[in-house]
Amino acid sequence: MATKETAAVGVDLGGTSVKVGLVDSKGKIVRKAVLDTYAEEGPDRVVKQIKKGIHEVLKPGGYKIKGIGIGSPGVVQLKDGIVENPPNFPGWTKVKLGKKIIEEFKLASFVDNDANAAAIGELIFGAGKKFDSFIMITLGTGVGGGIVLDKKLFRGSHGFAGEIGHGSIDYAGPQCKCGSYGCIETYAGNNYLTARVKDALLQREDSLITRIMREEQIPLTPKLISRAMEAGDEFAISVVDDLGRKLGYSFANVANILDVTNFVVGGGVAGFGKRLFTAMEAGMKERVGKSLKSLCKIVPAKLKNEAGILGASALVYYKYN
Amino acid sequence: MATKETAAVGVDLGGTSVKVGLVDSKGKIVRKAVLDTYAEEGPDRVVKQIKKGIHEVLKPGGYKIKGIGIGSPGVVQLKDGIVENPPNFPGWTKVKLGKKIIEEFKLASFVDNDANAAAIGELIFGAGKKFDSFIMITLGTGVGGGIVLDKKLFRGSHGFAGEIGHGSIDYAGPQCKCGSYGCIETYAGNNYLTARVKDALLQREDSLITRIMREEQIPLTPKLISRAMEAGDEFAISVVDDLGRKLGYSFANVANILDVTNFVVGGGVAGFGKRLFTAMEAGMKERVGKSLKSLCKIVPAKLKNEAGILGASALVYYKYN
């Protein structure tokens, strides 16, 4: 009889849905379940949904299961798999999620913060595989970050390290919802970006963006900016170039401080494609110390839509100690 | 017979003088020699001066010598104690300084970059002793930095980590001699600071600084600003407050990225005293993430004038592996 192939379970716990995948050792999702989170019904119900999802992907059997990884919002106490105060999960305070999963499945289980899981996912399965050290940036509503040093996620003194999005590039810049000013998130976060572009569009009635919005009656989104850029609209191009350069400036700051020169960039806004990457690299190289200029590398993240599941399953393969 | 007390030799290699000290295990300099570097005569002469200084402090005997530490400008290859291209040392390219010292004295010898030695000095003998992780900032002509994580100096991927001075707080700020813009060094470096104050003074004929400069025929220095501040001069106070806040903003950036919240600040400008520290703390707390606010600690460096010698001798006590 042939030896069974090994696989790990990855659980991407979100505010609206729980996504569960069975992931083989090469990072391929071989089975998948998506369930409602029912976050508003409190932690017991959420845990029930998680268990249900895991049972679903395990039931058909056929694999040697190495363990279960869960990427969760909120602060996670790694040692005991305790999830504290995930935003948008009412009634949650502290839940011993790891313990509950181990009791149910008798399998090694790892719970980590979802941003950390994303970085670990790129490290184990994605673009970070080839680097010893890299900075992970996820462009979305916020600008998420993760710092990988010598193949280990760097967590800082209190578990909060990696908030690259709240490094400021202008102390007198726009106020960020974190309380600071000019954080790179206030330039690259989806809502901040579209709000700024909307303002600028008032002076640019000629932009293709304005025309599409009017003709198709659709709202302004990063996707629309991207579409106009691809169609050659000058204003949209300038938005992407400016965004890329500013991201590059913030990467240069991080590289100057940490001497880590590899950046893996994922998330929606990264859909601006090659043009954004070229601008990021130009901005970074312009501002980074002389000795680091030739070492700068900015590459797109590899785990796209399934990054949540893959990152969570990667926790099982990651060396925590 | 009583056991001999142990001591280590610390060599502070500078462009104009070589300072050598014999340092006991508590960080007290028990003997000291200061010699001309003769940098312009080339590396052989410089090495001769270093050896001469070490012999001078060792000659009287009486101590069990644990080893020799050398803090050097330039890039240092730790493993072989090779010093590369120290600025202002003509004809120097690569010199196997560590090997030459071991051959002469048959003692364990450690060569490291002088900024790193300063951070290690604070870690072993100074204000960093009580912290597991801290950021070392040295305010002088430049703004030097060092990152200590879990009692170890963090060097980055290529040995260049810790350039806190070249983290930018304003992407559109003044150009720095490193090529970037708005580096905190362009606000806090001695020359940048005095140049900016000089400009501002053109509008402030009433400032005590202007009066002292005129009456005593002395140039503008950080020391003079400090003197006017202590005398209650409003403009000098505003300069120190503004400087402190900007430093605090840059510390907040570092803390947000690294989740290291302890800062040890040394060097000349730190002579602005309590007022500067209060402003730094205010600036940092205003801009740092919510979870870190109550954790921010900014303390003055302990090793003052003799920081160079003490830092170098600390290399002997530091665990390199």
Side-chain angles (χ1 to χ4, degrees), chain A residues 158 162 168-169 171 253 257 259, chain B residues 158 162 168-169 171 253 257 259:
Chain A
H158 321 88
S168 165
I169 61 165
Y171 70 87
N253 280 344
I257 292 167
D259 180 12
Chain B
H158 321 88
S168 165
I169 61 166
Y171 70 87
N253 280 345
I257 292 168
D259 180 13

Side-chain angles (χ1 to χ4, degrees), chain A residues 32-316:
Chain A
K32 195 175 152 180
V34 180
L35 297 85
D36 279 327
T37 306
Y38 297 128
E40 65 290 353
E41 294 182 28
D44 286 349
R45 186 65 202 270
V46 174
V47 173
K48 212 172 148 183
Q49 292 299 94
I50 294 172
K51 288 180 181 171
K52 202 175 155 194
I54 298 173
H55 277 299
E56 258 181 66
V57 302
L58 288 180
K59 211 177 167 191
Y63 288 88
K64 186 170 178 298
I65 307 298
K66 213 176 141 62
I68 299 168
I70 302 178
S72 165
V75 174
V76 176
Q77 290 183 31
L78 294 182
K79 219 184 104 237
D80 301 307
I82 297 173
V83 177
E84 293 179 34
N85 306 309
N88 311 316
F89 281 70
W92 187 284
T93 62
K94 279 188 187 196
V95 173
K96 294 179 178 170
L97 185 55
K99 205 178 148 214
K100 289 173 197 286
I101 297 301
I102 290 174
E103 278 170 8
E104 178 86 7
F105 297 97
K106 322 284 181 212
L107 285 166
S109 300
F110 305 85
V111 188
D112 209 330
N113 170 272
D114 46 11
N116 293 343
I120 290 174
E122 285 296 325
L123 169 67
I124 302 285
F125 293 131
K129 237 164 113 168
K130 61 178 170 193
F131 300 130
D132 283 333
S133 300
F134 67 94
I135 307 291
M136 170 81 194
I137 305 285
T138 307
L139 303 171
T141 310
V143 174
I147 300 172
V148 173
L149 302 177
D150 289 328
K151 300 274 178 201
K152 305 290 281 181
L153 189 73
F154 176 72
R155 295 172 190 270
S157 301
H158 321 88
F160 301 124
E163 290 285 6
I164 313 289
H166 299 288
S168 165
I169 61 165
D170 182 4
Y171 70 87
Q175 188 166 23
C176 183
K177 68 179 174 2
C178 81
S180 185
Y181 294 80
C183 298
I184 187 63
E185 183 164 308
T186 67
Y187 299 95
N190 280 351
N191 301 336
Y192 291 103
L193 175 69
T194 49
R196 264 189 320 127
V197 170
K198 220 175 258 175
D199 281 351
L201 278 174
L202 297 175
Q203 319 290 329
R204 303 290 301 244
E205 278 293 312
D206 59 320
S207 165
L208 180 60
I209 301 177
T210 321
R211 242 187 302 148
I212 299 176
M213 284 173 72
R214 206 181 291 133
E215 282 168 18
E216 303 183 14
Q217 294 283 315
I218 55 172
L220 182 64
T221 56
K223 208 168 184 165
L224 175 53
I225 300 170
S226 178
R227 196 176 136 196
M229 173 199 77
E230 273 160 21
D233 179 61
E234 206 182 288
F235 172 70
I237 288 173
S238 77
V239 166
V240 174
D241 284 351
D242 178 63
L243 172 65
R245 292 193 82 83
K246 289 202 168 74
L247 280 163
Y249 298 161
S250 92
F251 297 175
N253 280 344
V254 175
N256 282 342
I257 292 167
L258 282 182
D259 180 12
V260 173
T261 49
N262 306 310
F263 285 71
V264 175
V265 183
V269 182
F272 287 142
K274 206 166 165 43
R275 181 130 206 144
L276 183 71
F277 279 81
T278 305
M280 288 191 292
E281 204 170 294
M284 183 176 180
K285 284 198 174 163
E286 186 190 304
R287 303 288 171 112
V288 88
K290 272 193 202 79
S291 334
L292 302 178
K293 273 189 209 299
S294 66
L295 301 162
C296 300
K297 268 203 192 87
I298 309 179
V299 300
K302 260 196 190 153
L303 317 185
K304 311 275 175 189
N305 300 328
E306 309 292 10
I309 292 175
L310 292 171
S313 77
L315 302 177
V316 176

Side-chain angles (χ1 to χ4, degrees), chain B residues 102-180:
Chain B
I102 290 174
E103 279 169 7
E104 178 86 7
F105 297 97
K106 322 285 180 208
L107 284 166
S109 300
F110 306 86
V111 187
D112 208 331
N113 170 271
D114 47 10
N116 294 343
I120 290 174
E122 285 296 325
L123 169 67
I124 302 284
F125 293 131
K129 235 164 115 169
K130 61 179 171 194
F131 300 131
D132 283 334
S133 299
F134 68 93
I135 308 291
M136 170 82 194
I137 306 285
T138 307
L139 302 171
T141 310
V143 173
I147 301 172
V148 174
L149 303 175
D150 290 328
K151 300 275 179 201
K152 303 291 280 182
L153 188 74
F154 175 72
R155 294 172 191 269
S157 301
H158 321 88
F160 300 124
E163 289 285 6
I164 314 289
H166 299 287
S168 165
I169 61 166
D170 182 3
Y171 70 87
Q175 187 166 22
C176 182
K177 68 180 173 3
C178 80
S180 185

